[in-house]
């Protein structure tokens, strides 16, 4: 069963109203179809991550933007390592630029972070390998209005709003997502 963030759901003024509705829907789905798989589709960031975190251990569910896109990107990065004669454990040495800080972009990056940690990096080391940009440029620690997911990737060593071209030149980044 696919659940998407319709225009009607976007009009909620408070997160508690939004989550109350989704709670009600999840209970109803589970009551009607006990083995239902719920796909969260096109939920805005940060709701996309919050929903997945809230329900992933209680309901069979996934978020296509976060998890499917992340899995596909991870397979590409691992294939690139193999093609370059490197081991999968070398993923922690890659520098990765991601243009897009919504649920899909952050989902890809979080998937890669998890792989880096599984391959021996600390979480701090893994997050330090990323350079996240949006239409305003690089995310740095001084940016206001970041959600928690974006803040984990904020750089402390480069200026806020740095262009993609300058990030790639400055850090000699290999992967551009």
């Amino acid at each position: 069963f696919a659940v998407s963030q319709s225009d009607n759901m976007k009009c909620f003024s408070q997160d508690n109203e939004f989550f109350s509705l989704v709670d009600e829907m999840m209970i109803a789905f589970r009551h009607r179809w006990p083995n239902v798989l719920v796909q969260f589709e096109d939920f805005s960031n940060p709701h996309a991550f919050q929903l997945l975190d809230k329900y992933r251990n209680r309901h069979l569910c996934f978020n296509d933007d976060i998890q499917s896109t992340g899995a596909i990107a991870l397979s590409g990065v691992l294939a690139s390592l193999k093609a370059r004669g490197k081991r999968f454990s070398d993923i922690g040495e890659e520098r990765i630029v991601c243009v897009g800080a919504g649920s899909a972009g952050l989902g890809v990056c979080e998937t890669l972070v998890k792989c880096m940690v599984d391959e021996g990096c600390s979480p701090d080391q893994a997050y330090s390998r990323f350079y996240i940009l949006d239409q305003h440029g690089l995310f740095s620690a001084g940016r206001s209005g970041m959600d928690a997911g974006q803040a984990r990737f904020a750089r402390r060593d480069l200026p806020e709003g740095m262009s993609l071209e300058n990030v790639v030149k400055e850090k000699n980044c290999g992967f551009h997502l």
Side-chain angles (χ1 to χ4, degrees):
F1 193 89
V3 178
S4 67
Q5 186 168 354
S6 69
D7 289 334
N8 292 337
M9 292 178 81
K10 290 178 186 174
C11 72
F12 287 107
S13 61
Q14 300 293 325
D15 278 350
N16 59 350
E17 294 175 27
F18 172 81
F19 286 108
S20 180
L21 174 66
V22 176
D23 284 342
E24 190 176 325
M25 289 174 18
M26 294 297 285
I27 291 166
F29 295 155
R30 193 72 177 266
H31 177 74
R32 174 64 178 92
W33 302 287
N35 297 314
V36 68
L37 166 63
V38 176
Q39 173 190 340
F40 296 117
E41 181 67 33
D42 294 332
F43 279 85
S44 63
N45 188 36
H47 286 148
F49 284 95
Q50 292 169 337
L51 288 170
L52 193 56
D53 289 343
K54 182 173 184 172
Y55 296 112
R56 72 178 351 141
N57 294 319
R58 296 186 296 163
H59 297 274
L60 185 58
C61 63
F62 79 103
N63 181 296
D64 182 56
D65 290 341
I66 296 170
Q67 294 168 298
S68 298
T69 307
I72 297 301
L74 175 61
S75 68
V77 172
L78 294 177
S80 171
L81 288 169
K82 184 176 180 181
R84 292 181 287 145
K86 295 185 174 192
R87 298 167 299 160
F88 289 165
S89 60
D90 292 333
I91 191 170
E93 299 303 314
E94 298 298 316
R95 285 182 299 272
I96 299 173
V97 175
C98 180
V99 179
S103 58
L106 292 179
V108 165
C109 294
E110 288 291 352
T111 300
L112 295 173
V113 164
K114 285 181 177 112
C115 183
M116 289 175 172
V117 169
D118 287 348
E119 293 297 329
C121 287
S122 72
D124 287 342
Q125 289 171 322
Y127 283 109
S128 76
R129 307 304 292 172
F130 289 83
Y131 302 84
I132 310 298
L133 296 92
D134 66 2
Q135 71 272 23
H136 304 293
L138 181 69
F139 274 78
S140 293
R143 182 179 288 205
S144 62
M146 287 186 287
D147 64 45
Q150 294 165 334
R152 284 192 290 272
F153 291 97
R155 302 298 305 186
R156 293 180 180 7
D157 59 335
L158 295 172
E160 171 62 33
M162 189 178 220
S163 72
L164 173 61
E165 179 181 8
N166 289 335
V167 169
V168 171
K169 284 179 183 176
E170 176 80 20
K171 294 298 180 173
N172 192 26
C173 297
F175 282 108
H176 312 112
L177 303 172

